[in-house]
Amino acid sequence: MQQDMHYYGTYAIARAAGLAVKDARILAYAAQYVDDATANDSEVHKDGGMFHATATAHTNSEAIANAAVDHIEQRKVWVPFHFFPGNQGETLSQRLKCRKDSDLAREMVDNHIRHAVMVKDEYGLALMGIMAHVYADTFSHHGFSGVSSRGNEVDASSFDFDVKDKAVEAYIMGKFSSFLKKYTPTFVIKNFRSIASKGADIATGALGHGAVGTYPDRPFLRWRFIFKRDDTDSGWRDNKKAYLEACEKLHQAFGRYAKDAEIIGVPVAFESIKKTVSDIIGLEAAKDKRVEAWVKAIQNGDLFDPQPDEALSFSKHEWEQQADAFEALDHSSEMKEKDVYKFHQAAIYHRDYTLKQLLPKHGIVVL
């Protein structure tokens, strides 16, 4: 999913579930920031304090290098944050494949709601945002895993689309070509021998959904393809139907958290906004137009009773500036009150819970 869903859609659903503007904004910001937090470094304050950032995503160059040589980073970033294992099948490779709304994902959701209530005055909202990102991605990334695997590879000539607007179809196909050019592993080609000697994969198509570009991230798209490894048909993947289901599930989760944390306002029943949400998701358009549709629906009161201060814009730079200003604080302890610090607290909790508690509990040891 992209920013139209991870921030704007998440924000709208959180507000409809009864969260106040300020709480819904932090939650939605954290959900989107999972795709923007690429720093994995530390800053030292003059008083000796330290702020360490934990990467939950990668920049383009890092993604290429990651796909080529660094299987540890795949397991620290791609597995827990973007391709939550579905735990279905016999082999480890099969069990690592992301599955839509899996039992394992729901167990994670239940745990995070409980924990977020316990730390509601600390990083509870940030944790709910990270949960929202990870859980929502199971509805779009299903069938692919976050580790290099030939099971992720797709026959590029097998794509079939059900799109009403042919101009939009041409647009998304053009985006796919751009995606392949952007992620063509020049780094890999130039270093083929050294990489091959390490037994690494020689294509981004073996990692995550790189082989299908951004097709899983188009809310309106109905599409299908053939997996290379066993020549199996994916069947029609109806993104609109899956995204709508994700919105309904998130509405339930946000409502549970708000009620248990005693911060719930006046929720709106999902059934009463289901058609509006479905219409927004089904809009055949580029990302900026899809964002506009969410903003317009919020402003018009189509989803809930809007307030004058609705958080209708996102910029990753706000939290990045908080991180950059760490060394200028009078005392390093002031950092714990910053939203970006709470995000990284939540990110470390989610990563360690997933990799060191939940997955091993189910017999999956990947790190």
Side-chain angles (χ1 to χ4, degrees):
M1 295 185 181
Q2 297 178 331
Q3 192 179 104
D4 58 309
M5 286 298 302
H6 280 317
Y7 179 76
Y8 295 91
T10 299
Y11 175 81
I13 297 303
R15 289 282 287 118
L19 273 75
V21 170
K22 62 181 180 62
D23 294 333
R25 181 182 184 276
I26 293 171
L27 188 157
Y29 198 110
Q32 171 57 36
Y33 201 62
V34 171
D35 278 343
D36 296 313
T38 60
N40 196 23
D41 52 23
S42 302
E43 298 292 339
V44 180
H45 193 272
K46 58 189 176 184
D47 67 11
M50 178 180 289
F51 168 60
H52 178 72
T54 301
T56 58
H58 289 301
T59 60
N60 294 348
S61 61
E62 287 171 329
I64 293 169
N66 176 48
V69 299
D70 198 340
H71 288 204
I72 292 178
E73 277 302 296
Q74 291 174 17
R75 295 163 189 240
K76 290 172 65 177
V77 174
W78 296 95
V79 172
F81 292 104
H82 303 281
F83 296 88
F84 203 80
N87 193 31
Q88 297 176 21
E90 299 298 325
T91 68
L92 179 60
S93 181
Q94 291 171 338
R95 295 173 71 190
L96 285 176
K97 278 193 175 185
C98 184
R99 301 294 180 182
K100 183 176 68 173
D101 194 26
S102 66
D103 289 343
L104 207 63
R106 289 196 294 271
E107 187 173 346
M108 179 271 295
V109 171
D110 290 342
N111 175 81
H112 283 15
I113 291 174
R114 289 192 300 269
H115 189 75
V117 171
M118 292 173 58
V119 295
K120 70 175 185 177
D121 296 326
E122 300 170 65
Y123 57 90
L125 288 167
L127 181 60
M128 287 298 296
I130 291 172
M131 177 280 290
H133 182 112
V134 176
Y135 188 42
D137 270 0
T138 71
F139 290 85
S140 57
H141 293 175
H142 58 93
F144 298 94
S145 68
V147 297
S148 293
S149 169
R150 296 305 176 188
N152 288 329
E153 294 182 337
V154 166
D155 179 352
S157 67
S158 68
F159 291 117
D160 196 5
F161 305 103
D162 179 14
V163 179
K164 295 176 183 178
D165 190 331
K166 294 303 177 183
V168 172
E169 182 175 347
Y171 167 79
I172 62 173
M173 292 177 70
K175 282 292 187 178
F176 177 70
S177 297
S178 299
F179 177 91
L180 292 183
K181 288 180 181 179
K182 183 184 294 184
Y183 284 89
T184 295
T186 304
F187 169 86
V188 175
I189 294 171
K190 290 182 178 179
N191 298 277
F192 176 85
R193 293 187 182 280
S194 62
I195 293 171
S197 69
K198 297 179 182 179
D201 296 294
I202 312 299
T204 55
L207 177 62
H209 63 73
V212 295
T214 57
Y215 294 148
D217 301 322
R218 308 286 172 180
F220 57 84
L221 192 60
R222 187 169 179 267
W223 58 300
R224 70 191 305 166
F225 57 87
I226 301 295
F227 281 104
K228 266 187 179 181
R229 188 171 190 173
D230 48 14
D231 200 35
T232 58
D233 192 324
S234 67
W236 283 105
R237 292 171 67 108
D238 190 336
N239 289 3
K240 178 181 175 180
K241 181 179 178 181
Y243 277 46
L244 183 61
E245 185 181 354
C247 287
E248 184 168 12
K249 297 284 188 178
L250 287 177
H251 184 274
Q252 294 172 2
F254 296 156
R256 285 170 54 196
Y257 169 72
K259 181 180 178 181
D260 292 349
E262 299 181 338
I263 59 172
I264 196 166
V266 182
V268 176
F270 188 80
E271 197 60 34
S272 68
I273 61 172
K274 190 170 185 177
K275 184 181 184 306
T276 301
V277 173
S278 179
D279 289 344
I280 296 171
I281 292 172
L283 179 64
E284 292 186 358
K287 181 175 64 178
D288 60 340
K289 296 298 182 183
R290 303 196 306 265
V291 167
E292 287 180 13
W294 280 110
V295 171
K296 183 178 179 180
I298 293 171
Q299 291 176 325
N300 290 346
D302 296 334
L303 298 168
F304 50 82
D305 183 21
Q307 301 301 306
D309 59 343
E310 295 292 348
L312 302 180
S313 64
F314 172 86
S315 171
K316 67 177 182 179
H317 301 297
E318 180 180 336
W319 283 12
E320 290 180 347
Q321 288 169 356
Q322 290 182 10
D324 292 341
F326 171 64
E327 294 182 18
L329 295 175
D330 291 336
H331 303 284
S332 60
S333 61
E334 295 172 31
M335 193 63 182
K336 68 184 180 66
E337 303 302 327
K338 305 295 183 181
D339 289 326
V340 70
Y341 186 83
K342 295 175 183 180
F343 172 84
H344 288 292
Q345 283 182 295
I348 291 172
Y349 175 82
H350 169 76
R351 185 191 66 192
D352 290 351
Y353 165 78
T354 299
L355 297 178
K356 296 299 188 183
Q357 296 184 49
L358 182 61
L359 295 187
K361 172 185 172 182
H362 292 272
I364 301 175
V365 178
V366 293
L367 191 66

